[in-house]
Amino acid sequence: MAVILYTVFIWKKHELYYYQSLGITKFKLIWSTSAIDFSLYLVLLYVTYNNL
């Protein structure tokens, strides 16, 4: 996850203008992406262990 975030925010910083125009800061973007990723991980973990 850290490598992906580094790639997005350092190498691809010119592509973030769309989010900045919408009023989304880099911190909000990182936080929401991480929260969605972790939530999806927990849901899939729950589903996997309940189906064993």
Side-chain angles (χ1 to χ4, degrees):
M1 187 72 173
V3 173
I4 293 171
L5 290 174
Y6 176 78
T7 302
V8 169
F9 291 113
I10 302 299
W11 288 353
K12 303 279 186 178
K13 63 183 174 183
H14 298 292
E15 283 82 3
L16 293 177
Y17 291 132
Y18 174 76
Y19 297 105
Q20 292 172 350
S21 295
L22 292 174
I24 300 173
T25 63
K26 288 182 183 180
F27 178 75
K28 285 182 184 178
L29 191 59
I30 291 172
W31 187 85
S32 62
T33 303
S34 298
I36 291 169
D37 184 46
F38 187 67
S39 299
L40 183 61
Y41 170 74
L42 290 177
V43 167
L44 291 175
L45 193 66
Y46 176 77
V47 168
T48 301
Y49 281 113
N50 279 335
N51 288 329
L52 291 177

